[in-house]
Amino acid sequence: MSAEISTAWSKVQEMINSFIILLPNLVLAFIVFFIFFFVARTIKRMVRRFTQNRRHARNLGLVLGRLAQGTTILIGLFIALSIIIPSLKAGDLVQLLGISGVAIGFAFRDILQNFLAGILILLTEPFQINDQIVFKDFEGTVENIQTRATTIRTYDGRRIVIPNAELFSNSVVVNTAFENRRLQYDIGIGYGDNIEEARQLILEAMHETEGVLKEPEPDAIVVDLGESTVNIRARWWIQPPRRADALDLQDKVLTAIKNRLVSQGIDLAFPTHVILFHDQTEENDGNRSRQREGWPVGKGEVPQPRSIGGSLRKLIELQTQQNGNSETD
């Protein structure tokens, strides 16, 4: 028993002595890794600061900054491991990372897919930070483009996190990609109104609205002959093309158009429906040559309409007559 205790104690002492011998290397490795980590963050900040004022190089700066940071940290990790384990060679580390990379690739396929998509988005720049985009049912301002996901802030103050792989492989509408943006709205006028007069009034209202661009010029075109209205599409351009500006200008333009048309007597028609009531109690019911609603009228006498009250009285008389005949039988 005492021999086993002595053997165990000797092993503990060897471990303690090994740790004491290794302690300076651990401290030095930690210091080296901390220095490389600090240098990596500094390089990332410098790259981002150098490119943040250049719109077309901003995303490239994000990519280069993150790659430089990751590479610097990886080099620091290699050096720190070499200090702790002097017998460890660089070739062994590369081989270990290669085997581990394959295993990690299978285990974290989705994460790596999003990472690569994020790098491609940052390099190709289909949209940038502060752009306003529409993706499926989401619309908002791009807050950040990370290597895994992109975050957008909706107009009602919510944050949406979208995986980069979905953004890269699906259609995205970028509302702020260009300096100008065209808005449009359909206005329905009555069939009895003069189309050219209404068109001219709509153009005047758009030209007089502050914020509507003179070039490209606004226009008004007939796009549909509806059931109750002639639809004229008013189209105008704004700058800048952001959501708040679009809503503000649309409010001003539609208010001006409505007031101008109404003041000049143009009818802003509303849907009209015609309902035909078919009298099922008429003697002519079923006679297509004399039935008034639903079938062409024949050459003979046109049957006169009957009021609802008269139809009800006729129905009561028929029921009373049927009841009397049943009692007689």
Side-chain angles (χ1 to χ4, degrees):
M1 184 67 179
S2 59
E4 293 178 356
I5 295 176
S6 175
T7 303
W9 176 248
S10 62
K11 289 183 179 180
V12 172
Q13 285 182 334
E14 289 178 2
M15 293 175 60
I16 294 174
N17 293 332
S18 300
F19 179 75
I20 293 174
I21 294 173
L22 191 60
L23 185 59
N25 292 345
L26 289 174
V27 174
L28 180 60
F30 177 77
I31 294 174
V32 170
F33 181 77
F34 179 78
I35 292 174
F36 273 87
F37 184 79
F38 178 77
V39 171
R41 294 187 61 182
T42 304
I43 293 175
K44 179 182 177 181
R45 291 175 182 174
M46 290 178 60
V47 174
R48 292 186 63 179
R49 187 179 303 171
F50 181 74
T51 58
Q52 66 181 356
N53 295 327
R54 296 170 174 81
R55 175 176 175 84
H56 296 289
R58 190 180 304 167
N59 288 346
L60 181 60
L62 291 175
V63 175
L64 294 178
R66 288 169 181 171
L67 289 177
Q69 182 186 25
T71 303
T72 306
I73 292 176
L74 188 61
I75 294 174
L77 179 62
F78 282 171
I79 296 175
L81 289 175
S82 299
I83 294 174
I84 296 174
I85 310 174
S87 62
L88 188 62
K89 299 180 181 180
D92 299 332
L93 290 175
V94 172
Q95 184 178 3
L96 178 62
L97 288 176
I99 298 173
S100 302
V102 174
I104 292 173
F106 281 105
F108 300 97
R109 181 178 57 183
D110 293 338
I111 295 177
L112 293 176
Q113 185 179 5
N114 289 324
F115 175 79
L116 294 176
I119 296 297
L120 292 174
I121 288 175
L122 290 171
L123 288 176
T124 57
E125 295 186 348
F127 54 85
Q128 299 178 345
I129 294 176
N130 293 327
D131 272 335
Q132 294 184 344
I133 66 173
V134 180
F135 176 72
K136 295 183 179 180
D137 296 331
F138 307 115
E139 181 176 357
T141 304
V142 178
E143 281 188 324
N144 193 12
I145 305 174
Q146 303 173 352
T147 53
R148 188 193 69 84
T150 296
T151 59
I152 65 174
R153 179 184 175 88
T154 61
Y155 304 128
D156 55 356
R158 295 179 294 172
R159 174 176 294 172
I160 307 296
V161 181
I162 305 174
N164 287 330
E166 293 191 18
L167 280 174
F168 189 75
S169 58
N170 291 279
S171 301
V172 179
V173 179
V174 185
N175 289 329
T176 52
F178 304 102
E179 294 183 356
N180 301 338
R181 179 181 175 185
R182 191 185 71 185
L183 304 178
Q184 63 184 31
Y185 194 87
D186 292 347
I187 299 102
I189 64 173
Y191 271 91
D193 296 313
N194 188 291
I195 294 179
E196 293 302 324
E197 180 184 0
R199 192 202 311 268
Q200 186 62 32
L201 293 173
I202 292 173
L203 290 174
E204 291 176 0
M206 289 190 291
H207 279 293
E208 296 175 0
T209 303
E210 183 180 358
V212 175
L213 297 181
K214 306 301 181 183
E215 183 65 32
E217 293 185 357
D219 59 4
I221 58 175
V222 177
V223 293
D224 186 28
L225 300 178
E227 296 181 355
S228 307
T229 59
V230 176
N231 296 325
I232 300 178
R233 178 166 297 169
R235 305 189 298 183
W236 66 95
W237 292 82
I238 65 170
Q239 182 186 26
R242 305 193 72 82
R243 172 75 170 181
D245 304 295
L247 291 177
D248 182 58
L249 262 298
Q250 179 172 292
D251 172 72
K252 293 180 180 179
V253 168
L254 295 184
T255 301
I257 290 176
K258 190 265 182 183
N259 292 337
R260 180 63 63 90
L261 293 178
V262 171
S263 64
Q264 298 299 319
I266 300 297
D267 182 22
L268 297 179
F270 49 86
T272 302
H273 299 279
V274 178
I275 301 176
L276 298 176
F277 291 95
H278 182 65
D279 190 352
Q280 297 292 337
T281 63
E282 289 183 355
E283 296 179 356
N284 298 321
D285 182 51
N287 186 349
R288 298 187 181 184
S289 64
R290 304 196 64 195
Q291 189 169 310
R292 292 181 298 106
E293 294 89 1
W295 300 98
V297 177
K299 298 181 180 180
E301 180 184 357
V302 177
Q304 297 298 318
R306 180 179 296 169
S307 64
I308 295 179
S311 300
L312 291 176
R313 286 193 297 271
K314 180 65 175 179
L315 180 62
I316 293 174
E317 292 177 0
L318 291 175
Q319 290 180 347
T320 304
Q321 183 179 0
Q322 291 176 358
N323 292 335
N325 293 335
S326 61
E327 290 179 358
T328 304
D329 296 340

